[in-house]
Amino acid sequence: MDSVPKEQTPEPLTEYAHRLMRRVRSFDERRPLVWDLLLTGFWVTAALVDYSGGWRNVARDTDAPNWLVLAMSLGFSVPLLWRRSHPRAVLLAIAPVSLVNGWSGTALQAALLQLLVIYHIALRRPQRALWWTAALVLTPFTVMAVRHPQGSMDKDIVPALMSIVTAAVIGIAVRTRRNYTEALEDRARRLEIERDQQARLATAAERTRIAREMHDIIGHNLSVITGLADGGRYAATKSPERAAQALDAIATTSRQALGELRRLLDVLRDESPADLELTPQPTLTDLDQLLDGVRAAGLPVTATVKGTPAISPGRQLTVYRVIQEALTNTLKHGGPDATSDVILSYDPLGAVTVTVTDTGRGGRLDDIRGRGLPGMRERSALYGGTLEAGPRPHPELGWRIHLHLPEETPQ
């Protein structure tokens, strides 16, 4: 069914005015001189129109020569071209003209253009400058009230003072709003920068996590496959059945590695979590399967468990990966006659201690430079644990990995 188009509501007047002001400000930012020339030309034209005869309607002395009135009209309006860049200099340049205007009694309405300069001083200069500005502008009005009185002096001084205060207040208000807007824009920029930095940090952390998982998965399974392949090659000449068993174990291990790798790479897809296959991470219940795979690869392993496990899945994954990495390193570097021993102790309060030793060839400095030990230390640090790794004390041969995870802190 076709939807009925909604009746377009007329654009609000305020929105139209805001859009128009944005266009004016944009034009002013691009071509400030053009805008200054246009406004100055407008005020010069208005002053010259007043010079053509209208000034006599409010003048207190109409006997001033025309050349003087023309000079004062231009003196009040032309300097406005520099009102934004040098407002104080413009006001000082107009001050003699304003003083002559008050002394002669012509009372040109162009003198009100000084209020524009006061506005720009309040907008762009320190507020203490407004005191001498007000005194400078009020002086000609005082002179005119004394030389050409027209009623009480209050009628000359108070309106001029109120006009000055109004212009200054408008300038201060615009300046305050502009500073507030700039502060908001600066805060938005800083928040955007912080957001980008957080995104980059999160990306780096995720890459590190994925690299660590891929190292654990691929490194361990390839080491098992290598051990099985070596054993199958030796058994092929003497016992074809043992060779076939090794090939079956290689196929099983390869499929497991491929499944874990596919699950890990699914995280990188642009899909929602609901579309991903939810496969649980290994826990300590999978430890026997891990040990069986290592034994099948040719590494004799003994395991001793002390206490009752009662730890969170995340800590179980850490313990599992540390044991997996330690046995993988023994498969890689321990040599054909190496054996390994795993001792897993659970504290009643929730602390866990893991010690993995082997009787291989000794320290593996090449692994220290790789991802194995740093990955184990990163996993341990996530739960406030410590990990020690190094050769066993002389005269014993081999390597020792010791992990300690403290008791869990209640959330």
Side-chain angles (χ1 to χ4, degrees):
M1 181 177 179
D2 297 336
S3 59
V4 179
K6 295 182 179 180
E7 183 180 357
Q8 294 183 351
T9 58
E11 185 178 19
L13 182 60
T14 55
E15 180 64 26
Y16 175 79
H18 289 164
R19 191 175 65 208
L20 181 62
M21 289 301 298
R22 285 195 296 269
R23 291 180 178 178
V24 171
R25 283 194 293 266
S26 177
F27 178 81
D28 184 24
E29 292 175 357
R30 295 194 308 270
R31 298 179 178 84
L33 180 59
V34 174
W35 185 250
D36 287 339
L37 287 172
L38 288 175
L39 285 182
T40 303
F42 172 78
W43 294 118
V44 169
T45 302
L48 293 178
V49 169
D50 188 50
Y51 156 75
S52 64
W55 67 275
R56 289 187 173 87
N57 296 327
V58 295
R60 301 189 181 182
D61 185 356
T62 58
D63 295 334
N66 290 334
W67 66 266
L68 181 60
V69 177
L70 176 61
M72 287 191 297
S73 298
L74 296 176
F76 279 123
S77 56
V78 172
L80 295 179
L81 181 63
W82 298 276
R83 71 192 183 281
R84 294 197 292 187
S85 57
H86 303 88
R88 290 181 295 187
V90 170
L91 191 64
L92 290 174
I94 294 177
V97 180
S98 180
L99 187 59
V100 172
N101 181 55
W103 185 271
S104 62
T106 52
L108 294 180
Q109 298 184 70
L112 297 176
L113 296 177
Q114 295 177 97
L115 299 178
L116 290 175
V117 185
I118 295 174
Y119 164 80
H120 284 284
I121 291 176
L123 182 63
R124 292 178 168 84
R125 295 295 182 264
Q127 294 185 6
R128 61 178 178 271
L130 293 174
W131 295 106
W132 66 263
T133 297
L136 189 65
V137 175
L138 277 177
T139 299
F141 287 95
T142 305
V143 171
M144 185 169 58
V146 173
R147 281 185 52 83
H148 306 278
Q150 192 177 30
S152 63
M153 184 174 293
D154 295 343
K155 295 181 179 179
D156 293 321
I157 303 300
V158 174
L161 180 60
M162 293 300 297
S163 300
I164 294 172
V165 171
T166 301
V169 168
I170 294 175
I172 294 173
V174 173
R175 180 176 185 168
T176 302
R177 180 175 178 81
R178 180 178 297 178
N179 292 341
Y180 177 71
T181 303
E182 291 176 353
L184 289 180
E185 293 175 351
D186 180 68
R187 182 172 181 270
R189 283 192 297 268
R190 287 189 285 106
L191 289 176
E192 185 175 358
I193 293 173
E194 292 177 3
R195 182 197 63 190
D196 294 341
Q197 290 176 343
Q198 291 294 332
R200 286 194 293 269
L201 290 175
T203 301
E206 185 65 13
R207 287 177 177 174
T208 302
R209 186 186 69 84
I210 293 174
R212 185 171 59 232
E213 291 289 340
M214 292 186 69
H215 173 270
D216 293 341
I217 294 170
I218 297 176
H220 171 73
N221 287 286
L222 287 180
S223 297
V224 172
I225 290 172
T226 301
L228 291 171
D230 290 340
R233 183 181 61 184
Y234 291 120
T237 58
K238 299 179 179 179
S239 177
E241 294 181 358
R242 294 282 302 274
Q245 293 175 359
L247 292 175
D248 290 339
I250 289 174
T252 301
T253 304
S254 300
R255 282 192 291 269
Q256 291 176 351
L258 184 60
E260 292 188 26
L261 184 60
R262 183 180 294 113
R263 175 185 57 80
L264 181 62
L265 293 179
D266 281 343
V267 179
L268 302 178
R269 295 180 181 175
D270 293 330
E271 299 178 0
S272 63
D275 298 332
L276 301 178
E277 182 181 359
L278 299 180
T279 304
Q281 291 275 23
T283 61
L284 293 179
T285 58
D286 303 307
L287 189 58
D288 291 338
Q289 182 179 357
L290 172 67
L291 298 178
D292 291 339
V294 173
R295 294 187 185 107
L299 175 64
V301 181
T302 60
T304 304
V305 179
K306 302 177 181 179
T308 303
I311 58 177
S312 63
R315 291 158 67 91
Q316 292 188 43
L317 176 62
T318 297
V319 172
Y320 179 93
R321 291 301 190 197
V322 168
I323 296 175
Q324 181 187 54
E325 180 62 25
L327 297 178
T328 300
N329 290 337
T330 303
L331 280 172
K332 288 182 180 179
H333 311 287
D337 299 326
T339 62
S340 185
D341 184 37
V342 178
I343 300 177
L344 182 57
S345 302
Y346 300 100
D347 187 272
L349 298 178
V352 185
T353 302
V354 179
T355 304
V356 183
T357 57
D358 63 51
T359 58
R361 296 171 181 171
R364 297 178 292 278
L365 297 179
D366 57 338
D367 183 68
I368 295 178
R369 292 190 292 266
R371 292 184 178 273
L373 291 179
M376 287 192 285
R377 289 195 173 96
E378 289 172 2
R379 291 184 183 277
S380 305
L382 288 176
Y383 297 97
T386 57
L387 186 133
E388 301 173 1
R392 298 172 68 185
H394 186 75
E396 296 179 339
L397 298 178
W399 193 263
R400 177 179 178 271
I401 301 291
H402 181 76
L403 168 68
H404 177 72
L405 297 181
E407 59 183 90
E408 296 188 74
T409 302
Q411 300 294 330

